[in-house]
Amino acid sequence: ALKKSAVDYMHPEVGVTTTDATVFGRNYFNRPSAPETEEDEFADERAEVLAEAAALKKLATDYMHPEVGVTATDGAAFGRNYFNRASAPETEDTDEAEERALVLAEAAALKKSAVDYMHPEVGVTTTDATVFGR
């Protein structure tokens, strides 16, 4: 009985079903003599606020997810990529790219050494059968 009451309380959309013909209820909100619940001015203002909130939500989503991209239906809308054009200067030489890759590899090795030093509880794992320790 307690579980049924809790379910009835938490799910008012389910409604009430009964087989007793003497049980009835009155809806005080939809009757013709009920007072108007909201004026037209407030309804219009609420609609404007909800539209602004939806636009702000779309802008926030566009800002936080740049990977989605931009879709435009206007034929006059265009953009120019200043990084891949033919006259763009080279941004990185091959020597610089190799040096950057080497520096990043060294940084990754240093990070692994630092993690191993700061977390001795992790232990050492190896696949070499000839490695042993006392």
Side-chain angles (χ1 to χ4, degrees):
L2 186 60
K3 181 178 179 180
K4 184 181 180 323
S5 296
V7 169
D8 290 344
Y9 181 78
M10 292 302 292
H11 298 285
E13 70 274 4
V14 172
V16 178
T17 57
T18 183
T19 57
D20 191 3
T22 61
V23 176
F24 62 92
R26 183 171 181 188
N27 189 346
Y28 290 95
F29 300 104
N30 292 337
R31 68 183 194 276
S33 63
E36 190 66 33
T37 57
E38 188 175 40
E39 295 179 13
D40 289 338
E41 273 185 27
F42 294 134
D44 294 340
E45 182 71 22
R46 182 171 49 88
E48 289 177 12
V49 168
L50 289 175
E52 289 175 0
L56 283 173
K57 180 180 179 183
K58 183 182 181 313
L59 286 174
T61 303
D62 292 344
Y63 181 78
M64 292 302 293
H65 297 284
E67 70 274 6
V68 172
V70 178
T71 58
T73 58
D74 187 11
F78 61 92
R80 183 172 178 186
N81 188 347
Y82 290 96
F83 301 104
N84 293 336
R85 69 185 195 276
S87 62
E90 279 297 318
T91 57
E92 188 175 43
D93 197 7
T94 56
D95 295 333
E96 292 174 354
E98 292 172 359
E99 181 70 21
R100 181 174 50 86
L102 182 64
V103 168
L104 288 175
E106 290 176 357
L110 283 173
K111 180 180 177 182
K112 183 180 180 315
S113 296
V115 168
D116 291 344
Y117 180 79
M118 292 302 294
H119 297 284
E121 69 274 6
V122 172
V124 178
T125 58
T126 183
T127 56
D128 191 4
T130 60
V131 175
F132 62 93
R134 287 190 192 203

